[in-house]
Amino acid sequence: MRQIYLDHNATTAIHPLVVEAMQPYLHTSFGNPSSVHWAGRSVRNVVEEARKQVARLVNCEPEEVVFTSCATESNNTAIKGVAVSKRMKGKRIITTAVEHPSVLMPCYYLEHFGFAVDCFHVDGAGRLDLNALAGTLTEETILLSVMYANNETGTIFPVQQIGELAARRGVCFHCDAAQAVGKIPVDFKACNIDLMSFSGHKFYAPKGVGALIVRQGVKLPPLLHGGSQERNRRAGTENVAGIVGLGKACEIAADTQAVEAARLQKLRDRLEQGILAKIPDVRPNGDLDHRLPNTTNLSFLYVDSDALLSCLDQAGIAVSSVSACSSGTLKTSRVLEAMGVAEGTPMGTLRFSLGRANNEADVIYVLEVLPEVVKRLRQTLH
Ligand SMILES: Cc1ncc(COP(=O)(O)O)c(C=O)c1O
């Protein structure tokens, strides 16, 4: 059976050149980068080379790169760290209702320690009202955490304007860029970001490695205390092979991102337009003018998303699903709920996220299979 993977916002296959670059550090070059002898020194150098590759992709200084295990760790380090270091200044944290749980959960955790968290709302297309956002930043606000691009809808927030706003108000700005880095150009300096998180496995590096970019001068206690690795910002022996892989994936993204984004956008648009033309009662979600080039999020009215996902899976098509249903009996997406999409008619929602392995033939196959599946499921529902 054909296998078509359209869930690249969940995770990606490691790029063959990344596998090749990592190989020696899984086997022959095994030194600990903290060791001063020859075995450690050679490995220390490759970690520093990877730091430069990351810095080049996101336009920051190499010294600002802290290697972590994933975006979840980076988000926790940023949010809890700012809370600890700025607790004497204020106790308010502003974030958005559509953030990933790895941002929302640490924020809610901090409520147990007296911090107040405001989840700023989005409109029906998942957009933020920047004027209203500006109004929420008070003297008491110590942190503004806003994602770069939404994992479910692909909606891209105006991060540069948000960064300017935070800088004008003297509020620390954390940006979860897990869905943006490697897919679209991300400029840490130009966006006035103080802290930025991402994960390697979203753009062809292995799982288990990520980064937190910490602007020079931002005081941030570590989440993990212990050794002095990562200039005392993240204790624990470095995941050398993973770090080398992340560096290589950044280098590849810097070289290929623009061309690949244009190719994926064309494929994504073909897929989306094909679905809208062939299947009645389908609604695209998110800000269609500002979204990731590889992502489309579509609600299919009168269909259960779990059934939809399962039928597609049986045909070898891997996508991600979220139900949106006003009855509350189905699992609902927080993101779609925040956008008001979940109100009214029952519907199943699918996220298609394309990547480097996808081509025209994949789109044609989905356009053959999906209309039949939706038709069949709608018949059984009525
Ligand atoms: C926007 C966003 N932030 C953070 C994460 C967490 O990434 P990880 O599971 O690699 O820690 C994800 C993962 O899907 C994500 O999409």
Side-chain angles (χ1 to χ4, degrees):
M1 190 182 55
R2 272 184 86 152
Q3 287 193 320
I4 296 180
Y5 186 75
L6 292 167
D7 201 11
H8 288 84
N9 287 6
T11 197
T12 59
I14 309 178
H15 193 294
L17 293 176
V18 170
V19 174
E20 193 181 290
M22 289 170 64
Q23 207 67 43
Y25 307 98
L26 292 165
H27 185 40
T28 44
S29 298
F30 57 86
N32 185 323
S34 298
S35 302
V36 290
H37 48 61
W38 57 266
R41 272 198 315 274
S42 64
V43 168
R44 160 69 36 210
N45 290 341
V46 298
V47 168
E48 293 317 310
E49 190 46 44
R51 209 182 294 285
K52 287 183 198 153
Q53 290 167 312
V54 173
R56 242 176 271 134
L57 178 67
V58 299
N59 191 27
C60 69
E61 297 303 319
E63 302 73 36
E64 293 175 321
V65 178
V66 178
F67 290 115
T68 64
S69 64
C70 58
T72 298
E73 183 191 325
S74 302
N75 287 339
N76 272 265
T77 306
I79 293 163
K80 293 173 187 168
V82 169
V84 169
S85 73
K86 296 202 182 287
R87 67 191 185 284
M88 304 311 278
K89 177 179 178 257
K91 290 272 166 58
R92 285 192 73 227
I93 296 171
I94 311 285
T95 185
T96 82
V98 295
E99 297 298 313
H100 189 269
S102 58
V103 165
L104 292 175
M105 291 304 160
C107 288
Y108 296 151
Y109 175 73
L110 289 168
E111 287 183 325
H112 298 298
F113 301 93
F115 291 87
V117 179
D118 282 345
C119 286
F120 196 74
H121 275 276
V122 294
D123 69 10
R127 290 173 302 217
L128 288 171
D129 177 342
L130 289 194
N131 286 329
L133 184 66
T136 66
L137 302 181
T138 65
E139 282 286 294
E140 264 274 292
T141 309
I142 52 166
L143 175 66
L144 174 63
S145 181
V146 179
M147 70 201 320
Y148 209 114
N150 188 271
N151 41 305
E152 289 189 26
T153 61
T155 297
I156 298 171
F157 282 146
V159 170
Q160 186 158 1
Q161 287 164 267
I162 296 168
E164 277 164 18
L165 185 68
R168 268 204 310 276
R169 300 291 173 91
V171 173
C172 183
F173 176 33
H174 166 246
C175 183
D176 173 3
Q179 291 294 347
V181 170
K183 292 194 183 102
I184 54 172
V186 168
D187 191 325
F188 177 79
K189 280 185 193 164
C191 290
N192 275 300
I193 302 171
D194 292 305
L195 298 159
M196 185 171 83
S197 312
F198 56 94
S199 253
H201 69 101
K202 304 290 185 190
F203 62 107
Y204 314 110
K207 294 167 188 63
V209 66
L212 177 66
I213 314 298
V214 182
R215 179 182 289 281
Q216 265 161 21
V218 171
K219 286 203 171 56
L220 197 74
L223 183 70
L224 302 182
H225 293 88
S228 58
Q229 290 93 347
E230 295 299 283
R231 298 182 177 81
N232 292 306
R233 293 172 298 184
R234 200 271 186 181
T237 300
E238 295 88 340
N239 168 9
V240 176
I243 288 169
V244 168
L246 181 65
K248 188 67 186 175
C250 286
E251 183 190 280
I252 295 168
D255 291 345
T256 60
Q257 190 170 255
V259 172
E260 180 63 356
R263 187 186 77 88
L264 290 180
Q265 182 162 342
K266 251 195 202 156
L267 274 184
R268 187 272 316 267
D269 290 347
R270 249 204 95 182
L271 175 69
E272 185 177 277
Q273 282 154 20
I275 291 173
L276 293 173
K278 285 180 168 227
I279 309 175
D281 293 325
V282 182
R283 295 181 189 156
N285 298 309
D287 184 348
L288 305 187
D289 298 325
H290 303 98
R291 62 177 164 159
L292 294 172
N294 75 322
T295 308
T296 174
N297 181 301
L298 301 168
S299 288
F300 297 79
L301 272 59
Y302 321 115
V303 192
D304 171 36
S305 62
D306 286 345
L308 201 48
L309 182 96
S310 153
C311 291
L312 289 179
D313 187 27
Q314 280 164 27
I317 301 168
V319 294
S320 148
S321 85
V322 201
S323 290
C325 177
S326 60
S327 73
T329 51
L330 296 174
K331 177 185 67 176
T332 47
S333 149
R334 239 183 343 87
V335 172
L336 297 185
E337 223 166 58
M339 290 161 55
V341 170
E343 286 159 23
T345 326
M347 58 182 91
T349 300
L350 295 181
R351 175 190 70 186
F352 299 85
S353 49
L354 289 77
R356 58 183 291 273
N358 295 128
N359 55 32
E360 290 275 334
D362 297 345
V363 171
I364 292 166
Y365 181 63
V366 175
L367 292 178
E368 267 167 30
V369 172
L370 187 59
E372 283 307 308
V373 165
V374 173
K375 199 168 157 193
R376 191 160 26 104
L377 290 174
R378 282 182 179 160
Q379 276 164 357
T380 57
L381 210 78
H382 282 113

